[in-house]
Amino acid sequence: MTRRDIVTMAVRGESPPYVPWHCDFTVEPRAALVEYFGTDDIDGAIDNHLVQLSNPVGFYEPLGNDLYRDFFGVRWNRAVDKDIGMVEGEVLPEPTLADYTFPDPHDPRFFEDIPAKLARHPDSFRVFCIGFSLFERAWTLRGMEKLMMDFYEHPGFVHQLLDAIADFNVALATKALRDFDIDAIYFGDDWGQQQGLIMGPRLWREFLKPRLARMYAVAKEAGKFQFIHSCGDVDELFDDLVEIGLDCFNPFQPEVMNVHELLPRYRGRLAFHGGLSTQRTLPHGTPSEVRAETRELLELGRQGSYIFAPAHAVEGDAPLENILAFIDELQAQRG
């Protein structure tokens, strides 16, 4: 069976021959793995099972002095955070879209890497990634504080803004599904804090859920899977997400949700991708503790509805020996 087959079985809630995995890394640990394995192809070196198509966070124009501008016009400062950075300024200082033009969802940069990636990873499960896909895109344009106030003071503007972002995402996903043989659309949109939702469940259901349903329908109507990445304590939304067509949720953080209770409860209705603690075990545990937690998660996932991963892209505070410990356990399960 191919990696594509194994992931498909797992997402459907069937029992695969082994638990599939896909692990991401930020700049520092990725560099350490490149040196350790002697290759830039970390996906191949650790046998990741997904191939991520397009760029999850878009494209950036360097402005100098660690400043970058993304394709929506947002300025990012990467002086400290080298992966994405911190937003500087506001593209929409006022609650209006009158003077703003959205980027072209058919921009060839979104699709130019796909043929080469599929050729390099022909048997991997294919996911087309759209990051900052709704709430995150809105607050990066407007500013977090102003957007949160807009929910109450300018709700009409928020509806207009979110509709425009959803329109962009629908057009982008539709073209990807039409032009390429892919398996899933993978949106990224953080809604959670360490405790509860940033905007609360009422506002989430009023403003975000209808647009998410429209976005998810693109994949579902094409007979494909729908994935989401959303950090934080958001498990109160799982029933809503299943209702509107979600198939797989990431990052499945053990620090904010009970992974051992949730996976059996939703098995067959919702798959999970993640689970290994990146706040406790990976940075602060021993290699033996990392191995033990990895084995527990693999055992939990043997009946399906699970793709193993650390609960977030591995950060620079994780020792290399701990990273290699979970990689070794993943590869050992296949004998």
Side-chain angles (χ1 to χ4, degrees), residues 24-34 313-318 320 323:
D24 287 320
F25 306 89
T26 58
V27 171
E28 291 174 336
R30 175 169 287 276
L33 289 173
V34 166
V314 177
E315 299 278 0
D317 57 358
L320 178 61
I323 299 173

Side-chain angles (χ1 to χ4, degrees), residues 263-312:
L263 178 51
R265 188 204 304 178
Y266 284 94
R267 198 187 314 269
R269 294 187 292 146
L270 181 63
F272 296 95
H273 174 207
L276 179 63
S277 171
T278 54
Q279 292 183 28
R280 296 189 301 255
T281 311
L282 262 184
H284 305 300
T286 65
S288 294
E289 289 169 334
V290 172
R291 288 179 179 275
E293 188 169 323
T294 300
R295 287 193 294 267
E296 288 177 2
L297 288 165
L298 294 177
E299 184 61 33
L300 184 67
R302 293 197 191 284
Q303 296 178 51
S305 293
Y306 183 61
I307 302 167
F308 176 91
H312 197 276

Side-chain angles (χ1 to χ4, degrees), residues 1 6 24 37 72 80 131 139 185 194 212 236 295-296 310:
M1 299 181 72
I6 298 297
D24 287 320
F37 287 113
F72 274 81
V80 177
W139 76 251
I185 302 295
Q194 199 73 1
L212 293 170
E236 64 187 290
R295 287 193 294 267
E296 288 177 2

Side-chain angles (χ1 to χ4, degrees), residues 108-185:
R109 289 177 296 176
F110 290 113
F111 313 100
E112 63 187 359
D113 72 336
I114 293 179
K117 281 190 173 181
L118 293 181
R120 287 199 304 271
H121 305 282
D123 72 340
S124 294
F125 186 88
R126 296 117 178 255
V127 295
F128 185 82
C129 301
I130 305 176
F132 294 95
S133 61
L134 193 60
F135 173 69
E136 284 187 311
R137 183 60 67 195
W139 76 251
T140 60
L141 289 168
R142 177 73 171 129
M144 177 67 82
E145 183 176 346
K146 285 187 175 180
L147 181 67
M148 298 302 289
M149 294 297 292
D150 288 340
F151 280 125
Y152 296 95
E153 296 182 348
H154 305 287
F157 163 71
V158 178
H159 284 298
Q160 182 186 20
L161 175 60
L162 295 176
D163 275 338
I165 296 169
D167 288 344
F168 174 88
N169 291 333
V170 166
L172 185 57
T174 298
K175 180 172 173 58
L177 289 165
R178 183 190 67 209
D179 293 353
F180 302 98
D181 179 18
I182 62 178
D183 300 306
I185 302 295

Side-chain angles (χ1 to χ4, degrees), residues 202-220:
R202 184 185 66 81
L203 292 178
W204 184 91
R205 292 185 175 105
E206 177 183 351
F207 288 93
L208 300 184
K209 184 176 179 181
R211 281 86 190 182
L212 293 170
R214 182 156 65 91
M215 289 157 52
Y216 292 2
V218 177
K220 305 308 290 183

